[in-house]
């Protein structure tokens, strides 16, 4: 008995010793390993968040102090009031150009005239269009002088700011007795009242130029030519109405110029609203840089919407079929094939979109039997529809896998009870299985949305990269127009931007917004998953 005890005791001691590692048991080692990994993940997330906010938060104060303040004090804001009047006239002349193009197409295709004969018939229209276009010359001359003067004044302001910065660094005390003598002389401040006087004194000539401009527009409208079709004639009457509305806007422009005050401070909220609701993203401009997130946000949401519209039916439908209808052999083929799509590099899909998918869509859009589709024919192969279609291909595996997991979690007793009550397979799927797994399917869709909204390479290559809000007056045709996205702008510009500049910090603010958007989507998805699990238990 004692011999057995002496044999067993060492074995137990050896076994117990082997489970120790640095004084920790095996369970404690495993817990420390995975807990350490979780801690590293939290630390990495914290570092990313800290880096984003450290580089991005200064953007709004710098946007106010450097960009918007210089825009006002250099007189660029004053000049832009008048330039908007010039831009509206340019839009009206484009309207005339479109009318002429349609008239030329009618004369050559419907009336079978040659190009030369058609141009002869449109000679009176060309004379009218020329007079209408030249009517703005008095205003354009003044605005051109203002533009040149204000841009030079802005350059002078920035040069003075650089001199002040250099003077501040070079004026540091030295050990020499002549330190005060060798220190840089202070840079005198610019007298804004004197500097802006040429612009402010130009208001009276601008008003006179507007009167001449109005008289010439009215004279041109008295000789509106007759168009070859009733539809084009109606467009010309509408053009006359637009011109009268345009003329009524001149007093408002003059009032803005009259009430403009360069001494009015820029409120801090202006730097935030100009970013969140700005419709322009213009960088490295000789005139004025603008950082407006709205066109990028709209582009990202439109591309993601197209991707979800395509991916949700295919992803959820495939999950229902594989999980509920397909036999084991079919499931063994379909499931790996769908999941294998996620192995394709996004850059490969982007090249496929440029070389094959985009060109194929444009070719199909030109077919006569598809002219009823909104936005067809497609003018540019790289657009929202092209990028959204490829992102749908990337989102389908995510939605499929998570939706199938949700279907697997439906208790088998639910289906058996449905069959026992006489329901067939389709009825059971539609009224029992899918409703029971709906929250899981919704979370799959949201995670798929998070997948596509953070994608970079595909949208950079296939979305068209036009920084402008699409023309929603075209209805669904807006989805065939090029856009730019938040991820695309970061990837495109971050490699060329000067570190620490306002542009550099603006890109980090875009990253912060994208970070919180993705975080919100994932939070909503995880909340739905947790509720689903609680309901399932």
């Amino acid at each position: 008995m004692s011999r057995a005890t002496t044999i067993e005791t060492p074995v137990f001691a050896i076994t117990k010793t082997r489970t120790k590692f640095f004084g920790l048991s095996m369970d404690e080692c495993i817990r420390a390993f995975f807990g350490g990994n979780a801690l590293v993940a939290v630390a990495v997330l914290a570092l990313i968040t800290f880096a984003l906010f450290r580089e991005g938060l200064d953007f709004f104060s710098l946007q106010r102090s450097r960009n918007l303040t210089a825009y006002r004090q250099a007189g660029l804001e004053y000049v832009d009031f008048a330039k908007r009047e010039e831009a509206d006239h340019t839009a009206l002349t484009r309207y005339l150009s479109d009318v002429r193009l349609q008239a030329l197409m009618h004369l050559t295709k419907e009336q079978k005239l040659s190009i030369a004969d058609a141009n002869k018939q449109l000679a009176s229209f060309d004379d009218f269009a020329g007079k209408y276009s030249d009517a703005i010359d008095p205003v354009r001359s003044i605005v051109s002088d203002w533009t040149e003067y204000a841009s030079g004044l802005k350059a002078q302001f920035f040069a003075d700011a650089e001199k002040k910065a250099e003077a501040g660094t070079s004026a540091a005390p030295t050990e020499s007795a002549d330190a005060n003598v060798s220190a840089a002389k202070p840079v005198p401040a610019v007298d804004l009242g004197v500097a802006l006087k040429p612009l402010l004194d130009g208001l009276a000539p601008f008003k006179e130029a507007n009167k001449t401009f109005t008289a010439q527009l009215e004279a041109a409208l008295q000789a509106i030519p007759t168009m070859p079709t009733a539809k084009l004639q109606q467009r010309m009457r509408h053009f006359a109405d637009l011109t009268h509305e345009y003329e009524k806007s001149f007093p408002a422009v003059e009032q803005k110029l009259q009430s403009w005050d360069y001494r009015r401070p820029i409120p801090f909220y202006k730097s935030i609203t100009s970013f969140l609701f700005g419709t322009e993203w213009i960088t490295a401009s000789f005139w004025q840089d603008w950082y407006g997130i709205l066109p990028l946000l709209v582009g990202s949401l439109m591309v993601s919407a197209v991707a979800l519209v395509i991916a949700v039916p295919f992803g959820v439908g495939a999950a229902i079929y594989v999980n509920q209808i397909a036999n084991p052999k079919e499931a063994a083929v379909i499931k790996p094939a769908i999941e294998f799509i996620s192995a394709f590099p996004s850059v490969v899909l982007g090249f496929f979109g440029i070389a094959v998918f985009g060109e194929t869509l444009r070719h199909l859009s030109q077919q006569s039997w598809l002219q009823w589709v909104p936005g067809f024919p497609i003018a540019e192969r790289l657009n929202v529809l092209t990028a959204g279609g490829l992102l749908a291909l990337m989102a389908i595996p995510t939605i499929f896998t998570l939706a199938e997991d949700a279907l697997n979690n439906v208790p088998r007793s639910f289906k058996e009870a449905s069959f026992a009550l006489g329901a067939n397979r389709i009825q059971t799927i539609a009224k029992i299985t899918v409703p029971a797994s709906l929250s899981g399917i919704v979370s799959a869709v949201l995670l798929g949305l998070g997948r596509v909204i953070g994608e970079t390479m595909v949208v950079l290559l296939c979305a068209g990269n036009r920084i402008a809000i699409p023309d929603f007056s075209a209805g669904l045709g807006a989805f065939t127009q090029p856009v730019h996205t938040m991820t695309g702008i970061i990837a495109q510009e971050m490699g060329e931007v000067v570190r620490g500049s306002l542009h550099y910090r603006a890109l980090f603010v875009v990253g912060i917004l994208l970070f919180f958007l993705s975080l919100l989507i994932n939070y909503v998805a995880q909340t739905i998953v947790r509720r689903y699990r609680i309901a399932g238990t």
Side-chain angles (χ1 to χ4, degrees), residues 189-344:
V190 177
D191 189 339
L192 294 177
V194 175
L196 293 173
K197 193 173 187 301
L199 290 180
L200 300 177
D201 290 345
L203 179 57
F206 180 79
K207 290 181 178 180
E208 291 299 323
N210 265 346
K211 291 179 181 179
T212 305
F213 182 28
T214 303
Q216 292 181 357
L217 288 179
E218 288 298 327
L221 291 178
Q222 297 301 319
I224 290 183
T226 303
M227 304 306 295
T229 66
K231 181 179 179 181
L232 291 177
Q233 193 67 33
Q234 176 63 31
R235 289 198 65 184
M236 290 303 296
R237 285 194 293 267
H238 181 60
F239 174 77
D241 294 336
L242 291 176
T243 300
H244 291 313
E245 292 296 325
Y246 171 57
E247 293 171 357
K248 293 178 182 178
S249 68
F250 295 171
V253 174
E254 295 170 359
Q255 179 60 35
K256 287 182 179 179
L257 294 172
Q258 183 74 40
S259 61
W260 181 77
D261 186 3
Y262 65 88
R263 294 164 296 187
R264 187 184 304 126
I266 303 291
F268 184 79
Y269 73 85
K270 195 70 175 178
S271 62
I272 300 175
T273 56
S274 64
F275 178 81
L276 295 179
F277 305 108
T279 58
E280 293 180 302
W281 183 279
I282 301 174
T283 60
S285 172
F286 83 97
W287 182 249
Q288 175 67 13
D289 292 346
W290 292 109
Y291 303 98
I293 193 66
L294 201 57
L296 306 176
L297 179 60
V298 170
S300 296
L301 294 179
M302 289 180 68
V303 171
S304 301
V306 171
L308 288 184
V309 166
I310 299 173
V312 170
F314 281 97
V316 176
I320 293 173
Y321 180 80
V322 168
N323 189 267
Q324 299 292 319
I325 300 174
N327 58 50
K329 291 183 178 180
E330 290 176 327
V333 173
I334 297 174
K335 186 175 181 179
I338 294 177
E339 293 176 345
F340 181 71
I341 297 174
S342 60
F344 284 103

Side-chain angles (χ1 to χ4, degrees), residues 348-359 381-382 386 390 461-462:
V348 174
L349 290 177
F351 280 127
F352 174 77
I354 294 175
V356 179
F357 187 59
E359 191 62 36
R381 61 190 173 121
L382 304 180
T386 303
L390 292 172
L461 294 175
C462 300

Side-chain angles (χ1 to χ4, degrees), residues 484-503:
H484 216 323
T485 62
M486 293 187 290
T487 53
I489 202 72
I490 294 174
Q492 182 179 17
E493 298 183 354
M494 183 57 78
E496 301 176 357
V497 70
V498 177
R499 182 179 178 86
S501 64
L502 185 63
H503 184 189

